[in-house]
Amino acid sequence: MVECTDKNGIMDKERIDGFRSAFAPGETLFWQVPAAARERMAFYSENLPRLFSEKITAVFAVSDHYALEFMRFLQEQGIRVPEDVQIIGFDDTLASRESVPALTTIHQDAALRARTAIRRLEALRDGTPCDAGIVLPVELVERESTRRLPCQTL
Protein backbone atom coordinates (compact mmCIF):
# COMPACT_ATOMS: atom_id res chain seq x y z
CA MET A 1 0.00 0.00 0.00
CA VAL A 2 1.30 3.44 -0.91
CA GLU A 3 0.01 6.62 0.71
CA CYS A 4 0.27 9.87 -1.25
CA THR A 5 0.27 13.42 0.10
CA ASP A 6 1.99 16.65 -0.90
CA LYS A 7 2.55 17.96 2.61
CA ASN A 8 2.49 16.94 6.22
CA GLY A 9 -0.42 19.17 7.16
CA ILE A 10 -2.37 18.24 10.27
CA MET A 11 -5.38 17.00 8.33
CA ASP A 12 -3.23 14.96 5.92
CA LYS A 13 -1.22 13.50 8.80
CA GLU A 14 -4.37 12.49 10.67
CA ARG A 15 -5.82 10.88 7.55
CA ILE A 16 -2.61 8.92 6.98
CA ASP A 17 -2.31 7.94 10.65
CA GLY A 18 -5.90 6.70 10.62
CA PHE A 19 -5.32 4.70 7.47
CA ARG A 20 -2.05 3.22 8.77
CA SER A 21 -3.75 2.08 11.96
CA ALA A 22 -5.58 -0.57 9.92
CA PHE A 23 -2.30 -2.18 8.81
CA ALA A 24 0.59 -3.95 10.48
CA PRO A 25 3.89 -2.03 10.69
CA GLY A 26 5.77 -2.20 7.41
CA GLU A 27 2.70 -2.95 5.30
CA THR A 28 2.50 0.60 3.98
CA LEU A 29 4.93 2.78 2.06
CA PHE A 30 4.68 6.56 2.38
CA TRP A 31 5.22 8.86 -0.62
CA GLN A 32 5.24 12.59 -0.07
CA VAL A 33 4.51 13.86 -3.55
CA PRO A 34 5.54 17.34 -4.76
CA ALA A 35 2.97 20.13 -4.44
CA ALA A 36 3.32 21.39 -8.03
CA ALA A 37 1.42 19.37 -10.65
CA ARG A 38 4.30 19.21 -13.16
CA GLU A 39 6.69 17.99 -10.47
CA ARG A 40 4.13 15.37 -9.32
CA MET A 41 3.91 13.96 -12.84
CA ALA A 42 7.70 13.63 -12.95
CA PHE A 43 7.64 12.04 -9.49
CA TYR A 44 5.00 9.52 -10.59
CA SER A 45 7.06 8.63 -13.67
CA GLU A 46 10.25 8.19 -11.66
CA ASN A 47 8.58 6.02 -9.02
CA LEU A 48 6.32 3.94 -11.26
CA PRO A 49 8.79 1.00 -11.46
CA ARG A 50 8.85 0.92 -7.66
CA LEU A 51 5.10 0.26 -7.58
CA PHE A 52 5.58 -3.04 -9.32
CA SER A 53 8.97 -4.03 -7.91
CA GLU A 54 7.56 -3.76 -4.39
CA LYS A 55 4.32 -5.51 -5.40
CA ILE A 56 2.11 -2.61 -4.34
CA THR A 57 -1.56 -3.58 -4.63
CA ALA A 58 -3.23 -0.30 -3.66
CA VAL A 59 -2.68 3.44 -3.29
CA PHE A 60 -4.36 5.64 -0.67
CA ALA A 61 -4.32 9.36 -1.43
CA VAL A 62 -5.19 11.98 1.19
CA SER A 63 -7.73 13.52 -1.20
CA ASP A 64 -9.84 12.52 -4.16
CA HIS A 65 -7.96 15.14 -6.18
CA TYR A 66 -4.64 13.30 -5.80
CA ALA A 67 -6.25 9.89 -6.21
CA LEU A 68 -7.94 10.87 -9.47
CA GLU A 69 -4.82 12.54 -10.80
CA PHE A 70 -2.75 9.44 -10.06
CA MET A 71 -5.41 7.18 -11.56
CA ARG A 72 -5.35 9.21 -14.81
CA PHE A 73 -1.54 9.01 -14.83
CA LEU A 74 -1.64 5.22 -14.41
CA GLN A 75 -4.25 4.83 -17.14
CA GLU A 76 -2.11 6.90 -19.52
CA GLN A 77 0.71 4.40 -18.86
CA GLY A 78 -1.59 1.48 -19.75
CA ILE A 79 -1.99 0.39 -16.14
CA ARG A 80 -5.46 -0.86 -15.29
CA VAL A 81 -7.38 0.29 -12.23
CA PRO A 82 -8.32 -1.80 -10.22
CA GLU A 83 -6.94 -4.89 -11.97
CA ASP A 84 -3.27 -3.84 -11.68
CA VAL A 85 -3.42 -1.23 -8.88
CA GLN A 86 -6.31 -0.19 -6.66
CA ILE A 87 -6.84 3.43 -5.67
CA ILE A 88 -8.63 4.97 -2.69
CA GLY A 89 -9.22 8.68 -2.14
CA PHE A 90 -10.64 10.82 0.64
CA ASP A 91 -13.49 13.39 0.52
CA ASP A 92 -16.13 11.68 -1.68
CA THR A 93 -16.23 14.54 -4.16
CA LEU A 94 -18.58 14.62 -7.14
CA ALA A 95 -15.60 13.87 -9.40
CA SER A 96 -14.98 10.62 -7.50
CA ARG A 97 -18.44 9.40 -8.52
CA GLU A 98 -18.02 10.43 -12.14
CA SER A 99 -14.52 9.09 -12.80
CA VAL A 100 -13.93 5.93 -14.82
CA PRO A 101 -13.68 3.75 -12.91
CA ALA A 102 -15.62 5.42 -10.10
CA LEU A 103 -13.25 6.11 -7.20
CA THR A 104 -13.48 4.26 -3.90
CA THR A 105 -13.19 6.97 -1.27
CA ILE A 106 -13.66 7.92 2.35
CA HIS A 107 -16.78 10.02 2.93
CA GLN A 108 -16.95 12.66 5.62
CA ASP A 109 -20.05 14.81 6.12
CA ALA A 110 -18.94 18.22 4.81
CA ALA A 111 -21.89 20.02 6.45
CA LEU A 112 -20.99 18.53 9.85
CA ARG A 113 -17.34 19.49 9.33
CA ALA A 114 -18.38 23.07 8.50
CA ARG A 115 -20.75 23.34 11.49
CA THR A 116 -18.04 21.98 13.79
CA ALA A 117 -15.48 24.45 12.46
CA ILE A 118 -17.87 27.37 12.92
CA ARG A 119 -18.63 26.31 16.50
CA ARG A 120 -14.89 26.11 17.22
CA LEU A 121 -14.26 29.55 15.71
CA GLU A 122 -17.12 31.05 17.72
CA ALA A 123 -15.75 29.46 20.91
CA LEU A 124 -12.28 30.85 20.19
CA ARG A 125 -13.73 34.29 19.48
CA ASP A 126 -15.74 34.23 22.71
CA GLY A 127 -12.87 32.86 24.80
CA THR A 128 -14.85 29.73 25.62
CA PRO A 129 -12.88 26.54 26.19
CA CYS A 130 -13.33 24.01 23.41
CA ASP A 131 -12.11 20.51 22.69
CA ALA A 132 -8.77 20.59 20.86
CA GLY A 133 -9.09 17.12 19.35
CA ILE A 134 -12.19 16.60 17.28
CA VAL A 135 -12.70 13.37 15.36
CA LEU A 136 -15.55 13.32 12.89
CA PRO A 137 -17.12 10.09 11.65
CA VAL A 138 -16.09 8.74 8.25
CA GLU A 139 -17.44 6.01 6.00
CA LEU A 140 -15.81 3.93 3.28
CA VAL A 141 -17.64 4.28 -0.04
CA GLU A 142 -16.68 1.28 -2.16
CA ARG A 143 -16.73 1.88 -5.89
CA GLU A 144 -14.98 0.42 -8.94
CA SER A 145 -11.38 1.58 -8.27
CA THR A 146 -10.91 -1.25 -5.76
CA ARG A 147 -11.61 -4.95 -5.83
CA ARG A 148 -11.57 -7.93 -3.51
CA LEU A 149 -8.21 -9.67 -3.43
CA PRO A 150 -7.99 -13.44 -3.04
CA CYS A 151 -7.16 -14.50 0.51
CA GLN A 152 -3.59 -15.56 1.04
CA THR A 153 -2.83 -18.47 3.29
CA LEU A 154 0.18 -18.33 5.56
Side-chain angles (χ1 to χ4, degrees):
M1 176 70 65
V2 173
E3 308 147 18
C4 292
T5 180
D6 72 347
K7 55 193 172 299
N8 279 324
I10 292 171
M11 185 171 63
D12 288 352
K13 182 181 180 331
E14 289 175 350
R15 288 177 177 187
I16 289 170
D17 289 348
F19 195 80
R20 279 186 178 167
S21 70
F23 295 89
E27 283 188 320
T28 64
L29 170 68
F30 177 76
W31 281 357
Q32 186 167 341
V33 299
R38 183 181 304 258
E39 293 172 9
R40 273 195 312 278
M41 292 303 123
F43 178 88
Y44 296 153
S45 293
E46 292 167 17
N47 286 281
L48 187 59
R50 193 170 171 197
L51 263 179
F52 296 102
S53 68
E54 298 194 24
K55 298 181 180 162
I56 301 299
T57 59
V59 172
F60 168 71
V62 296
S63 72
D64 288 351
H65 170 79
Y66 290 119
L68 293 168
E69 177 185 74
F70 190 61
M71 183 164 62
R72 280 188 302 274
F73 169 81
L74 292 175
Q75 291 170 330
E76 289 169 2
Q77 309 308 310
I79 298 166
R80 301 169 304 159
V81 176
E83 296 83 358
D84 300 326
V85 176
Q86 301 176 82
I87 300 180
I88 303 167
F90 199 112
D91 290 322
D92 194 20
T93 62
L94 179 59
S96 70
R97 290 173 233 143
E98 296 177 347
S99 64
V100 177
L103 181 67
T104 294
T105 187
I106 307 295
H107 174 82
Q108 187 176 67
D109 185 340
L112 174 60
R113 187 170 61 200
R115 284 192 306 274
T116 303
I118 290 169
R119 283 196 300 272
R120 295 270 325 266
L121 288 171
E122 290 171 342
L124 289 170
R125 177 197 64 202
D126 298 339
T128 307
C130 57
D131 186 9
I134 296 174
V135 177
L136 299 176
V138 295
E139 174 186 356
L140 176 66
V141 180
E142 292 184 63
R143 296 196 180 106
E144 291 88 32
S145 69
T146 56
R147 63 186 172 88
R148 301 246 182 246
L149 293 175
C151 292
Q152 296 178 350
T153 56
L154 300 176

